[in-house]
Amino acid sequence: MSEPLRTRAAALDAADPLAKRRELFALDDGVVYLDGNSLGALPRHVPGRMADVITREWGELRIRSWDESGWWTAPERIGDRVAPLVGAAPGQVVVGDSTSVNVFKALVGAVRLVDDESRDEIVVDATTFPTDGYIAESAARLTGRRLVPVAPGEVAEAVGPRTAAALVNHVDYRTGRLHDLPGITAAVRAAGALAVWDLCHSAGALPVGLDAHGVDLAVGCTYKYLNGGPGSPAYLYVAARHQPRFDSPLPGWNSHADPFAMTPGYAAADGALRGRVGTPDILSMLALEAALDVWDGVAIEEVRAKSLALTDFFLECVRAYVPDGRLTSLTPAAHEERGSQVALACADAPAVMKVLIERGIVGDLRRPDVLRFGFTPLYVGFADTERAARVLAEVCAEADTGARSPR
Protein backbone atom coordinates (compact mmCIF):
# COMPACT_ATOMS: atom_id res chain seq x y z
CA MET A 1 0.00 0.00 0.00
CA SER A 2 2.83 2.39 0.85
CA GLU A 3 4.90 2.11 -2.33
CA PRO A 4 2.70 4.32 -4.56
CA LEU A 5 2.68 7.05 -1.92
CA ARG A 6 6.45 6.81 -1.45
CA THR A 7 6.94 7.07 -5.20
CA ARG A 8 4.67 10.11 -5.38
CA ALA A 9 6.47 11.72 -2.45
CA ALA A 10 9.79 11.37 -4.26
CA ALA A 11 8.32 12.96 -7.40
CA LEU A 12 6.84 15.83 -5.39
CA ASP A 13 10.18 16.47 -3.68
CA ALA A 14 11.98 16.46 -7.02
CA ALA A 15 9.60 19.12 -8.35
CA ASP A 16 9.58 21.25 -5.18
CA PRO A 17 11.02 24.75 -5.80
CA LEU A 18 11.69 25.15 -2.07
CA ALA A 19 13.48 21.82 -1.61
CA LYS A 20 16.97 23.35 -1.59
CA ARG A 21 16.04 25.58 1.36
CA ARG A 22 16.29 22.53 3.60
CA GLU A 23 20.08 22.71 3.26
CA LEU A 24 20.05 26.03 5.13
CA PHE A 25 18.93 24.33 8.36
CA ALA A 26 20.65 22.14 10.95
CA LEU A 27 18.57 18.96 10.79
CA ASP A 28 19.41 15.41 11.84
CA ASP A 29 19.45 12.61 9.29
CA GLY A 30 16.73 10.12 10.05
CA VAL A 31 14.58 12.58 12.00
CA VAL A 32 11.38 14.12 10.65
CA TYR A 33 10.91 17.40 12.48
CA LEU A 34 7.23 18.36 12.57
CA ASP A 35 7.30 20.67 15.57
CA GLY A 36 8.27 23.92 13.88
CA ASN A 37 4.92 25.32 15.02
CA SER A 38 6.45 25.24 18.54
CA LEU A 39 10.14 25.86 17.82
CA GLY A 40 11.58 26.37 14.36
CA ALA A 41 14.79 24.60 13.34
CA LEU A 42 18.16 26.34 13.58
CA PRO A 43 19.43 27.99 10.39
CA ARG A 44 23.00 26.72 9.93
CA HIS A 45 24.65 30.12 9.67
CA VAL A 46 23.25 31.56 12.91
CA PRO A 47 25.93 30.11 15.26
CA GLY A 48 28.67 31.76 13.20
CA ARG A 49 26.90 35.09 13.31
CA MET A 50 26.37 34.81 17.06
CA ALA A 51 30.02 33.94 17.61
CA ASP A 52 30.91 37.24 15.93
CA VAL A 53 28.34 39.15 17.97
CA ILE A 54 29.70 37.73 21.21
CA THR A 55 33.43 37.78 20.54
CA ARG A 56 33.79 40.93 18.45
CA GLU A 57 30.74 43.16 18.93
CA TRP A 58 30.38 42.47 22.65
CA GLY A 59 33.87 41.22 23.51
CA GLU A 60 35.92 43.84 21.62
CA LEU A 61 33.71 46.80 20.69
CA ARG A 62 31.63 46.54 23.86
CA ILE A 63 29.57 49.75 24.40
CA ARG A 64 30.59 51.05 20.97
CA SER A 65 28.43 48.38 19.34
CA TRP A 66 25.26 50.25 20.24
CA ASP A 67 26.24 52.67 17.47
CA GLU A 68 28.93 51.00 15.38
CA SER A 69 27.22 47.60 15.13
CA GLY A 70 23.70 48.97 14.91
CA TRP A 71 22.42 47.52 18.15
CA TRP A 72 20.34 50.60 18.93
CA THR A 73 18.31 50.44 15.71
CA ALA A 74 17.84 46.67 15.75
CA PRO A 75 14.17 46.60 16.91
CA GLU A 76 12.85 48.66 14.01
CA ARG A 77 15.42 47.38 11.48
CA ILE A 78 14.46 43.77 12.17
CA GLY A 79 10.81 44.81 12.28
CA ASP A 80 11.19 45.92 8.68
CA ARG A 81 12.53 42.44 7.84
CA VAL A 82 9.49 40.80 9.45
CA ALA A 83 7.06 43.25 7.82
CA PRO A 84 6.95 41.70 4.30
CA LEU A 85 6.20 38.29 5.81
CA VAL A 86 3.02 39.65 7.40
CA GLY A 87 2.06 41.98 4.56
CA ALA A 88 3.09 45.28 6.14
CA ALA A 89 4.89 48.25 4.65
CA PRO A 90 8.08 49.43 6.37
CA GLY A 91 7.87 51.49 9.53
CA GLN A 92 4.96 49.65 11.16
CA VAL A 93 6.59 46.69 12.92
CA VAL A 94 8.94 46.84 15.89
CA VAL A 95 10.62 43.76 17.37
CA GLY A 96 11.06 43.27 21.10
CA ASP A 97 9.59 41.84 24.30
CA SER A 98 7.44 38.69 24.40
CA THR A 99 4.16 37.97 22.66
CA SER A 100 2.36 38.35 25.99
CA VAL A 101 3.83 41.81 26.60
CA ASN A 102 2.96 42.87 23.07
CA VAL A 103 -0.61 41.59 23.40
CA PHE A 104 -0.93 43.79 26.48
CA LYS A 105 0.49 46.82 24.67
CA ALA A 106 -1.71 46.26 21.62
CA LEU A 107 -4.97 45.62 23.45
CA VAL A 108 -4.70 48.45 25.98
CA GLY A 109 -3.40 50.69 23.21
CA ALA A 110 -6.42 49.80 21.06
CA VAL A 111 -8.88 50.74 23.81
CA ARG A 112 -7.06 54.04 24.32
CA LEU A 113 -7.17 54.73 20.58
CA VAL A 114 -10.94 54.23 20.54
CA ASP A 115 -11.23 56.60 23.52
CA ASP A 116 -14.96 56.13 24.01
CA GLU A 117 -16.32 55.25 27.46
CA SER A 118 -19.56 53.95 25.94
CA ARG A 119 -17.52 51.22 24.26
CA ASP A 120 -17.16 49.18 27.41
CA GLU A 121 -16.51 45.71 25.98
CA ILE A 122 -13.45 43.85 24.72
CA VAL A 123 -14.29 40.85 22.55
CA VAL A 124 -11.79 38.00 22.79
CA ASP A 125 -11.41 34.73 20.91
CA ALA A 126 -12.84 32.13 23.30
CA THR A 127 -10.53 29.44 21.87
CA THR A 128 -7.43 31.60 22.23
CA PHE A 129 -4.04 30.53 23.48
CA PRO A 130 -4.35 30.83 27.26
CA THR A 131 -1.88 33.71 27.66
CA ASP A 132 -3.91 35.89 25.32
CA GLY A 133 -6.97 35.25 27.45
CA TYR A 134 -5.12 36.05 30.67
CA ILE A 135 -3.74 39.28 29.22
CA ALA A 136 -7.12 40.26 27.78
CA GLU A 137 -8.75 39.79 31.18
CA SER A 138 -6.10 41.98 32.80
CA ALA A 139 -6.42 44.61 30.06
CA ALA A 140 -10.19 44.67 30.58
CA ARG A 141 -9.78 45.25 34.33
CA LEU A 142 -7.17 47.93 33.76
CA THR A 143 -9.28 49.85 31.24
CA GLY A 144 -12.61 49.37 33.01
CA ARG A 145 -14.05 47.19 30.25
CA ARG A 146 -15.95 43.91 30.29
CA LEU A 147 -14.42 40.90 28.60
CA VAL A 148 -16.71 39.10 26.13
CA PRO A 149 -15.37 35.68 25.01
CA VAL A 150 -16.89 34.41 21.76
CA ALA A 151 -16.00 31.78 19.19
CA PRO A 152 -13.94 33.29 16.36
CA GLY A 153 -16.65 32.51 13.84
CA GLU A 154 -19.10 34.56 15.90
CA VAL A 155 -16.98 37.70 16.30
CA ALA A 156 -18.60 39.45 13.34
CA GLU A 157 -22.03 39.08 14.97
CA ALA A 158 -20.80 39.84 18.48
CA VAL A 159 -19.19 43.23 17.83
CA GLY A 160 -21.33 46.36 18.02
CA PRO A 161 -21.62 49.85 19.49
CA ARG A 162 -20.29 48.70 22.86
CA THR A 163 -17.15 47.05 21.44
CA ALA A 164 -13.83 48.83 21.88
CA ALA A 165 -11.54 46.15 20.47
CA ALA A 166 -11.49 42.50 19.43
CA LEU A 167 -8.52 40.16 19.97
CA VAL A 168 -8.47 37.09 17.70
CA ASN A 169 -5.93 34.38 16.85
CA HIS A 170 -5.30 34.00 13.13
CA VAL A 171 -4.72 30.24 13.47
CA ASP A 172 -6.01 28.12 16.33
CA TYR A 173 -3.04 26.59 18.16
CA ARG A 174 -4.88 23.35 18.96
CA THR A 175 -6.61 22.50 15.70
CA GLY A 176 -4.76 24.48 13.04
CA ARG A 177 -7.99 26.17 11.92
CA LEU A 178 -7.37 29.37 9.98
CA HIS A 179 -9.78 32.14 10.87
CA ASP A 180 -11.16 34.74 8.50
CA LEU A 181 -8.85 37.69 9.07
CA PRO A 182 -10.24 39.86 6.21
CA GLY A 183 -13.89 39.26 7.09
CA ILE A 184 -13.54 39.57 10.86
CA THR A 185 -11.39 42.69 10.54
CA ALA A 186 -13.94 44.30 8.23
CA ALA A 187 -16.78 43.50 10.65
CA VAL A 188 -14.89 44.82 13.68
CA ARG A 189 -13.97 48.05 11.94
CA ALA A 190 -17.49 48.49 10.55
CA ALA A 191 -18.71 48.35 14.16
CA GLY A 192 -16.37 51.22 15.02
CA ALA A 193 -13.95 49.06 17.00
CA LEU A 194 -10.32 48.06 16.43
CA ALA A 195 -9.07 44.63 15.35
CA VAL A 196 -6.06 43.13 17.12
CA TRP A 197 -4.65 39.87 15.69
CA ASP A 198 -2.30 37.25 17.15
CA LEU A 199 -0.20 35.88 14.26
CA CYS A 200 1.93 33.38 16.18
CA HIS A 201 0.75 30.38 14.15
CA SER A 202 0.47 32.07 10.76
CA ALA A 203 3.44 34.40 10.21
CA GLY A 204 5.94 32.60 8.02
CA ALA A 205 3.46 29.91 7.00
CA LEU A 206 0.87 31.79 4.95
CA PRO A 207 0.06 35.26 3.61
CA VAL A 208 -1.38 37.56 6.28
CA GLY A 209 -1.97 40.88 4.50
CA LEU A 210 -2.10 43.23 7.47
CA ASP A 211 -2.06 46.40 5.36
CA ALA A 212 -4.26 45.04 2.59
CA HIS A 213 -7.00 43.99 5.00
CA GLY A 214 -6.94 47.09 7.21
CA VAL A 215 -5.78 45.41 10.43
CA ASP A 216 -5.29 47.93 13.24
CA LEU A 217 -2.77 46.17 15.49
CA ALA A 218 -1.13 42.76 15.49
CA VAL A 219 1.41 40.76 17.46
CA GLY A 220 3.34 37.59 16.89
CA CYS A 221 6.26 35.46 17.98
CA THR A 222 9.36 34.72 15.92
CA TYR A 223 10.47 31.32 17.24
CA LYS A 224 7.98 29.18 15.30
CA TYR A 225 7.83 29.46 11.50
CA LEU A 226 10.30 32.37 11.52
CA ASN A 227 13.00 30.18 13.15
CA GLY A 228 14.33 32.91 15.45
CA GLY A 229 15.36 30.58 18.28
CA PRO A 230 13.94 29.70 21.72
CA GLY A 231 12.42 32.76 23.35
CA SER A 232 13.37 35.02 20.45
CA PRO A 233 11.71 38.44 20.68
CA ALA A 234 8.17 38.96 19.45
CA TYR A 235 6.90 41.88 17.37
CA LEU A 236 4.21 44.52 17.45
CA TYR A 237 2.47 45.96 14.38
CA VAL A 238 0.78 49.34 14.68
CA ALA A 239 -0.86 50.52 11.45
CA ALA A 240 0.63 53.82 10.27
CA ARG A 241 -2.72 55.59 10.58
CA HIS A 242 -2.78 54.86 14.33
CA GLN A 243 0.83 55.62 15.20
CA PRO A 244 0.46 59.35 16.00
CA ARG A 245 -2.12 58.51 18.69
CA PHE A 246 -0.83 55.13 19.87
CA ASP A 247 -0.49 55.40 23.65
CA SER A 248 1.46 52.42 24.95
CA PRO A 249 0.62 51.28 28.49
CA LEU A 250 4.34 50.52 28.92
CA PRO A 251 6.13 53.78 28.07
CA GLY A 252 9.74 52.78 28.64
CA TRP A 253 12.82 54.88 28.09
CA ASN A 254 13.51 53.19 24.74
CA SER A 255 10.29 54.61 23.28
CA HIS A 256 11.00 58.16 24.47
CA ALA A 257 11.44 60.82 21.79
CA ASP A 258 14.84 61.66 23.31
CA PRO A 259 15.80 58.61 25.38
CA PHE A 260 19.19 59.88 26.48
CA ALA A 261 17.83 63.20 27.75
CA MET A 262 16.71 61.25 30.84
CA THR A 263 13.93 63.72 31.57
CA PRO A 264 11.31 62.88 34.22
CA GLY A 265 8.44 63.52 31.81
CA TYR A 266 7.60 61.06 29.04
CA ALA A 267 7.33 62.16 25.40
CA ALA A 268 6.62 59.40 22.91
CA ALA A 269 8.83 58.84 19.87
CA ASP A 270 7.32 58.95 16.43
CA GLY A 271 6.20 55.91 14.48
CA ALA A 272 6.59 52.25 15.39
CA LEU A 273 9.25 53.14 17.95
CA ARG A 274 6.38 53.84 20.33
CA GLY A 275 6.15 50.07 20.71
CA ARG A 276 9.60 49.81 22.29
CA VAL A 277 9.91 49.61 26.07
CA GLY A 278 13.26 48.84 27.68
CA THR A 279 16.75 47.91 26.55
CA PRO A 280 16.53 45.40 23.67
CA ASP A 281 17.64 41.80 24.27
CA ILE A 282 20.47 42.10 21.78
CA LEU A 283 21.73 38.51 21.63
CA SER A 284 18.30 37.05 20.83
CA MET A 285 17.50 40.02 18.62
CA LEU A 286 20.57 39.53 16.42
CA ALA A 287 20.10 35.75 16.27
CA LEU A 288 16.64 36.45 14.88
CA GLU A 289 18.02 38.94 12.38
CA ALA A 290 20.47 36.35 11.08
CA ALA A 291 17.78 33.64 10.99
CA LEU A 292 15.59 35.81 8.77
CA ASP A 293 18.22 35.47 6.01
CA VAL A 294 16.64 32.13 5.06
CA TRP A 295 13.68 34.11 3.74
CA ASP A 296 15.73 36.04 1.19
CA GLY A 297 14.25 35.40 -2.24
CA VAL A 298 11.26 33.42 -0.91
CA ALA A 299 7.69 34.43 -1.74
CA ILE A 300 5.20 33.74 1.03
CA GLU A 301 2.67 32.63 -1.59
CA GLU A 302 5.08 29.87 -2.63
CA VAL A 303 5.38 28.82 1.01
CA ARG A 304 1.60 28.70 1.35
CA ALA A 305 1.22 26.55 -1.76
CA LYS A 306 3.69 23.99 -0.41
CA SER A 307 2.14 24.10 3.06
CA LEU A 308 -1.25 23.16 1.68
CA ALA A 309 0.28 20.45 -0.51
CA LEU A 310 2.15 18.98 2.47
CA THR A 311 -0.84 18.94 4.78
CA ASP A 312 -3.08 17.53 2.02
CA PHE A 313 -0.56 14.77 1.39
CA PHE A 314 -0.17 13.98 5.09
CA LEU A 315 -3.92 13.64 5.55
CA GLU A 316 -4.08 11.43 2.46
CA CYS A 317 -1.31 9.19 3.82
CA VAL A 318 -2.97 8.98 7.24
CA ARG A 319 -6.22 7.90 5.58
CA ALA A 320 -4.34 5.27 3.59
CA TYR A 321 -2.26 3.87 6.44
CA VAL A 322 -4.31 4.25 9.61
CA PRO A 323 -7.51 2.23 10.09
CA ASP A 324 -10.75 4.21 9.96
CA GLY A 325 -11.83 5.55 13.32
CA ARG A 326 -8.41 5.29 14.98
CA LEU A 327 -7.62 8.98 14.48
CA THR A 328 -9.85 11.94 13.70
CA SER A 329 -8.59 15.08 12.00
CA LEU A 330 -9.50 18.26 13.86
CA THR A 331 -7.95 20.38 11.11
CA PRO A 332 -10.36 21.63 8.46
CA ALA A 333 -10.19 20.02 5.03
CA ALA A 334 -10.94 23.31 3.27
CA HIS A 335 -7.78 25.18 2.31
CA GLU A 336 -9.23 28.55 3.23
CA GLU A 337 -9.74 27.28 6.80
CA ARG A 338 -6.40 25.54 7.32
CA GLY A 339 -3.13 26.84 8.74
CA SER A 340 0.12 24.87 8.43
CA GLN A 341 -0.44 22.13 10.97
CA VAL A 342 -2.52 18.99 11.24
CA ALA A 343 -4.15 18.10 14.55
CA LEU A 344 -5.39 14.55 15.06
CA ALA A 345 -7.62 13.45 17.92
CA CYS A 346 -6.14 10.30 19.45
CA ALA A 347 -7.40 8.69 22.66
CA ASP A 348 -3.87 7.66 23.72
CA ALA A 349 -2.11 10.74 22.35
CA PRO A 350 0.61 11.07 25.05
CA ALA A 351 1.75 7.46 24.67
CA VAL A 352 1.62 7.58 20.87
CA MET A 353 3.62 10.80 20.65
CA LYS A 354 6.23 9.45 23.05
CA VAL A 355 6.89 6.46 20.80
CA LEU A 356 6.79 8.60 17.64
CA ILE A 357 9.53 10.83 19.00
CA GLU A 358 11.61 7.79 20.00
CA ARG A 359 11.35 6.67 16.36
CA GLY A 360 12.40 9.98 14.91
CA ILE A 361 9.03 11.57 14.14
CA VAL A 362 8.99 14.73 16.25
CA GLY A 363 5.62 16.35 16.72
CA ASP A 364 3.91 17.41 19.92
CA LEU A 365 0.58 17.11 21.71
CA ARG A 366 -2.03 19.06 23.54
CA ARG A 367 -3.47 17.14 26.44
CA PRO A 368 -5.49 15.12 26.75
CA ASP A 369 -5.94 13.77 23.23
CA VAL A 370 -4.52 15.90 20.42
CA LEU A 371 -1.48 15.02 18.31
CA ARG A 372 -0.06 18.09 16.54
CA PHE A 373 2.14 18.03 13.46
CA GLY A 374 3.51 21.33 12.17
CA PHE A 375 4.63 21.57 8.54
CA THR A 376 7.35 24.14 7.90
CA PRO A 377 7.66 24.35 4.11
CA LEU A 378 11.24 25.67 4.14
CA TYR A 379 12.60 22.39 5.50
CA VAL A 380 9.87 19.70 5.54
CA GLY A 381 9.56 17.55 2.42
CA PHE A 382 7.03 15.13 1.02
CA ALA A 383 9.13 12.04 1.80
CA ASP A 384 9.24 13.28 5.42
CA THR A 385 5.48 13.60 5.34
CA GLU A 386 4.87 10.09 3.99
CA ARG A 387 7.28 8.57 6.50
CA ALA A 388 5.62 10.38 9.40
CA ALA A 389 2.20 9.02 8.47
CA ARG A 390 3.59 5.50 7.95
CA VAL A 391 5.35 5.41 11.33
CA LEU A 392 2.25 6.90 12.98
CA ALA A 393 0.20 4.02 11.58
CA GLU A 394 2.74 1.49 12.85
CA VAL A 395 2.72 2.98 16.34
CA CYS A 396 -1.07 3.03 16.47
CA ALA A 397 -1.23 -0.61 15.30
CA GLU A 398 1.28 -1.69 17.93
CA ALA A 399 -0.60 0.18 20.63
CA ASP A 400 -3.86 -1.49 19.60
CA THR A 401 -2.25 -4.95 19.52
CA GLY A 402 -0.72 -4.36 22.93
CA ALA A 403 -4.05 -3.25 24.31
CA ARG A 404 -5.69 -6.48 23.14
CA SER A 405 -2.86 -8.81 24.24
CA PRO A 406 -3.48 -10.98 27.29
CA ARG A 407 -1.53 -9.97 30.36
Side-chain angles (χ1 to χ4, degrees):
M1 185 198 311
S2 62
E3 198 56 41
L5 289 171
R6 288 193 205 183
T7 301
R8 186 142 63 89
L12 288 167
D13 280 333
D16 175 18
L18 294 176
K20 296 289 286 183
R21 294 278 158 175
R22 182 187 182 96
E23 298 172 5
L24 301 178
F25 294 87
L27 295 163
D28 300 325
D29 291 337
V31 174
V32 178
Y33 188 65
L34 299 180
D35 205 10
N37 53 326
S38 288
L39 177 64
L42 170 70
R44 290 184 184 276
H45 68 285
V46 170
R49 169 60 179 140
M50 294 314 296
D52 181 63
V53 169
I54 292 169
T55 59
R56 183 181 62 85
E57 295 185 7
W58 181 12
E60 298 174 14
L61 296 178
R62 290 176 287 275
I63 198 71
R64 290 162 53 194
S65 278
W66 285 104
D67 293 320
E68 295 180 25
S69 301
W71 289 0
W72 184 258
T73 59
E76 58 268 26
R77 182 179 72 243
I78 303 170
D80 282 345
R81 302 259 327 255
V82 171
L85 299 175
V86 293
Q92 300 178 99
V93 178
V94 64
V95 171
D97 305 310
S98 67
T99 303
S100 301
V101 172
N102 283 317
V103 168
F104 181 74
K105 286 186 274 186
L107 199 50
V108 174
V111 173
R112 290 177 174 180
L113 281 165
V114 170
D115 192 23
D116 183 346
E117 292 298 324
S118 70
R119 292 186 173 272
D120 60 354
E121 295 180 348
I122 295 174
V123 170
V124 64
D125 172 358
T127 62
T128 189
F129 188 77
T131 285
D132 287 22
Y134 307 154
I135 296 292
E137 184 179 6
S138 178
R141 291 198 309 271
L142 180 70
T143 59
R145 266 64 181 181
R146 183 173 73 94
L147 198 63
V148 182
V150 300
E154 299 171 3
V155 170
E157 291 74 34
V159 294
R162 296 182 62 179
T163 308
L167 171 64
V168 190
N169 281 246
H170 197 191
V171 173
D172 186 288
Y173 77 101
R174 293 184 189 85
T175 67
R177 176 179 290 276
L178 173 66
H179 296 131
D180 180 13
L181 182 145
I184 292 173
T185 299
V188 171
R189 295 191 61 200
L194 298 189
V196 181
W197 285 90
D198 183 328
L199 310 177
C200 284
H201 287 268
S202 57
L206 53 91
V208 177
L210 294 179
D211 287 352
H213 301 305
V215 170
D216 299 296
L217 300 105
V219 303
C221 67
T222 62
Y223 50 79
K224 300 181 190 296
Y225 297 107
L226 298 184
N227 311 296
S232 58
Y235 56 88
L236 170 69
Y237 163 89
V238 181
R241 64 185 178 278
H242 294 309
Q243 289 177 4
R245 293 183 52 245
F246 179 69
D247 181 11
S248 173
L250 297 173
W253 78 284
N254 255 235
S255 63
H256 195 285
D258 187 0
F260 290 99
M262 303 295 175
T263 57
Y266 178 76
D270 292 331
L273 272 66
R274 292 187 175 204
R276 292 175 64 151
V277 184
T279 305
D281 44 351
I282 289 298
L283 298 184
S284 291
M285 187 85 65
L286 298 186
L288 167 63
E289 183 174 37
L292 290 171
D293 290 348
V294 301
W295 289 95
D296 290 348
V298 176
I300 195 66
E301 293 77 13
E302 196 170 38
V303 171
R304 175 59 168 167
K306 183 177 177 183
S307 164
L308 291 171
L310 286 168
T311 49
D312 277 343
F313 188 58
F314 181 68
L315 288 168
E316 180 183 352
C317 291
V318 169
R319 287 193 297 270
Y321 296 159
V322 180
D324 288 346
R326 182 60 170 87
L327 304 171
T328 303
S329 177
L330 304 177
T331 303
H335 285 182
E336 64 272 16
E337 297 178 359
R338 187 193 309 166
S340 199
Q341 74 177 51
V342 172
L344 301 174
C346 175
D348 49 349
V352 168
M353 184 54 69
K354 181 177 184 295
V355 178
L356 280 174
I357 293 172
E358 290 170 353
R359 296 188 184 179
I361 309 300
V362 181
D364 73 358
L365 61 95
R366 286 293 175 261
R367 296 196 302 265
D369 61 352
V370 178
L371 301 170
R372 294 197 321 168
F373 302 95
F375 292 82
T376 305
L378 294 188
Y379 55 77
V380 173
F382 292 91
D384 297 326
T385 301
E386 185 276 335
R387 181 184 162 206
R390 181 162 33 89
V391 175
L392 173 61
E394 293 169 1
V395 172
C396 287
E398 292 168 10
D400 290 345
T401 301
R404 291 192 296 269
S405 297
R407 296 185 182 273

